[in-house]
Amino acid sequence: MSDIEASNKRKHDEVEEPSLKKQKKEKKDKKEKKDKKDKKEKKDKKEKKHKSEKDSSSSSSSSSSAPTGEAKSSHGYTQSQELTDAPQSDIDQFFKDNEVSVEDPSSSSLRPLLSFGQLSIDAKIQKEISKFPKPTPIQAVAWPYLLSGKDVIGVAETGSGKTFAFGVPAINNLLSNGTSKNSGIKVLVVSPTRELASQTYDNLKILTDLCGLYCCCLYGGVPKDQQRKDLKRSSVIVATPGRLLDLIEEGSCDLSNVNYMVLDEADRMLEKGFEEDIKRIIGSTPTKDRQTLMFTATWPKEVRELASTFMTSPVKVSIGNTDELSANKRITQIVEVIDHFSKERILLDLLKKYQSGSKKNEKVLIFALYKKEATRIENLLKRNRYDVAAIHGDLSQQQRTSALNDFKQGKTNLLLATDVAARGLDIPNVKTVINLTFPLTVEDYVHRIGRTGRAGQTGTAHTLFTENEKHLAGALVNVLNGANQPVPDELKKFGTHTKKKEHSAYGAFFKNVDMSMKPKKKTFD
Ligand SMILES: Nc1ncnc2c1ncn2[C@@H]1O[C@H](COP(=O)(O)OP(=O)(O)OP(=O)(O)O)[C@@H](O)[C@H]1O
């Protein structure tokens, strides 16, 4: 199977595709849409004019130095007196310790929140979030900009609290804008997989429940009826693209009131294959006064230009050196170069190593690349009397959900998954990730191993690497070096040539993008 076929196959595992029926309906609606489009174009012209006036009113300079103490107030955010009074040396130290970099076209230089006490938001949300000792760096730096109404690109390592980084301002902004149950959908979070959408929903629901608002989760593989009902009263939705488009096109989901939109795992959502869906979804939200957020742990140059077309003067907040692809440094990475045919025997040896004796009950997550491989390995493990749960695209949604829950709750300590589980999933206490087959990209590798070592913990990732993946050896060596991990000689033998990642839309002609450039605006019907 070619890489492209495999990649497309994988995407089918992960994202709900709009149905054929819908495509027919689309044709029928085309004429109607054209009439609407003419009207909309007129409206958009006016909005564009308004936006470019807004953009040009802000300076285009950018800064990555620690902001100074002057009290700031904009769009409902006022810097607390405590933060204003904090010595500049504390702010400088925070920037240094956490390798923070901020590129802010409007030079608003908002100080990071060094404690929850410096955050002035709704008391109920404040109380809930204060169950943690302090904001994580991405929360500390992004919150002031998000509460100020800025578009933000947030890049920080796996397991660093990005969900609340975008979730807390989302719900607080709803409250400060006086949102009620009848205000329509105001907040939209788009996620690449059903499991991640559901997890993000669980997190946001904690906050909306506290505030008397409703949140709902839209994904495929389950009936639509309940989702249609939930949509009627929800202010916040978390959705996978396919089901969301289905519900938009049948008229059950109206995004025209959305003013806060998040692309979670943004680089994945902007990849070819999802790009068209994302354009259609964004095209259903208002262009004017929409705050747009992109969050991820990996931000390849290839997607940055496309991202900028959806955003207005975004502030880019990075924790760590995010210009280079980098992995969480608390994860011990072991890479073993092996012969393809010895994989299964080595896997059984690794399970003895990572799940026996005092480690008997430790959670291990195994990644395979294809559904067929996952099924074959699941059978192998069962034959060897391992109690293994599995998540991949050949299983029903009910089977996927119950496998993940069993693993989360520790009912089973071994989970076998395809890349459907690579991004975002926050599973407590995964001690070891085994990459049985290397993923298609090194970005996916960083996300896969990020299922361990979350929220300040440590973990181990053991990766089997074969000659079939030698074109990724150079990029993997860079990730290992960046995290001070040993590089096996056998890996170096493949050479350290790094194959440039091609964007399927821009191909070999892709240009690296200057983030200080003014965004170009595209309008979608
Ligand atoms: N301020 C905080 N202090 C400590 N833990 C936190 C804090 N905020 C969130 N967490 C916890 O950290 C864990 C990881 O958070 P989250 O899932 O949001 O990570 P992420 O950065 O989105 O990871 P990924 O890149 O894999 O999607 C969660 O269990 C979450 O509850």
Side-chain angles (χ1 to χ4, degrees), residues 161-263:
K162 293 189 288 293
T163 313
F164 280 133
F166 63 72
V168 165
I171 312 306
N172 194 71
N173 288 354
L174 281 180
L175 295 177
S176 34
N177 294 334
T179 303
S180 73
K181 284 171 209 163
N182 306 318
S183 306
I185 299 160
K186 296 284 184 184
V187 174
L188 167 66
V189 180
V190 189
S191 292
T193 65
R194 300 167 182 180
E195 284 77 10
L196 180 54
S198 168
Q199 177 185 295
T200 304
Y201 161 77
D202 289 342
N203 279 301
L204 297 190
K205 188 172 181 296
I206 296 172
L207 305 180
T208 50
D209 279 356
L210 287 172
C211 305
L213 295 169
Y214 287 101
C215 179
C216 75
C217 190
L218 313 174
Y219 57 75
V222 293
K224 288 182 193 161
D225 273 355
Q226 188 58 43
Q227 297 179 353
R228 289 189 190 107
K229 275 187 209 148
D230 292 345
L231 267 168
K232 290 200 173 109
R233 59 178 193 178
S234 292
S235 317
V236 179
I237 61 175
V238 185
T240 54
R243 177 59 60 94
L244 179 60
L245 283 168
D246 263 356
L247 292 164
I248 293 172
E249 278 156 23
E250 67 166 39
S252 308
C253 179
D254 172 13
L255 299 183
S256 64
N257 293 306
V258 167
N259 57 19
Y260 192 101
M261 196 197 72
V262 186
L263 291 192

Side-chain angles (χ1 to χ4, degrees), residues 59-63 101-106 151-155 270 294 299-309 311-318 322-323 510-520:
S59 140
S60 63
S61 69
S62 73
S63 148
S101 119
V102 177
E103 292 168 32
D104 174 10
S106 60
D151 284 5
V152 169
I153 298 167
V155 190
L270 296 169
M294 309 236 172
W299 194 231
K301 294 189 175 66
E302 292 82 350
V303 299
R304 297 182 195 175
E305 182 169 4
L306 180 60
S308 73
T309 61
M311 307 184 90
T312 305
S313 304
V315 178
K316 185 183 175 203
V317 173
S318 317
T322 50
D323 245 8
F510 165 74
K511 285 193 307 233
N512 287 350
V513 177
D514 177 2
M515 277 304 295
S516 62
M517 235 168 55
K518 283 270 176 209
K520 284 181 212 144

Side-chain angles (χ1 to χ4, degrees), residues 116 129 132-136 139 156-164 196 199 203 264-265 296-297 423-426 447 450-451 454-455:
F116 286 120
I129 195 79
F132 297 118
K134 61 177 184 187
T136 63
Q139 294 167 354
E157 68 181 18
T158 50
S160 61
K162 293 189 288 293
T163 313
F164 280 133
L196 180 54
Q199 177 185 295
N203 279 301
D264 193 13
E265 307 296 343
T296 181
R423 285 182 177 247
L425 295 189
D426 187 49
H447 286 278
R451 296 319 97 210
R454 300 179 72 74

Side-chain angles (χ1 to χ4, degrees), residues 13 45 65 110 124 137 145 169 186 191 197 203 298 340 377 385 406 445 499:
D13 274 10
K45 262 191 187 166
S65 59
L110 300 176
K124 295 179 287 297
Y145 291 103
K186 296 284 184 184
S191 292
N203 279 301
T298 51
H340 179 77
I377 298 300
R385 287 198 283 280
D406 285 354
Y445 168 80
K499 190 180 167 205

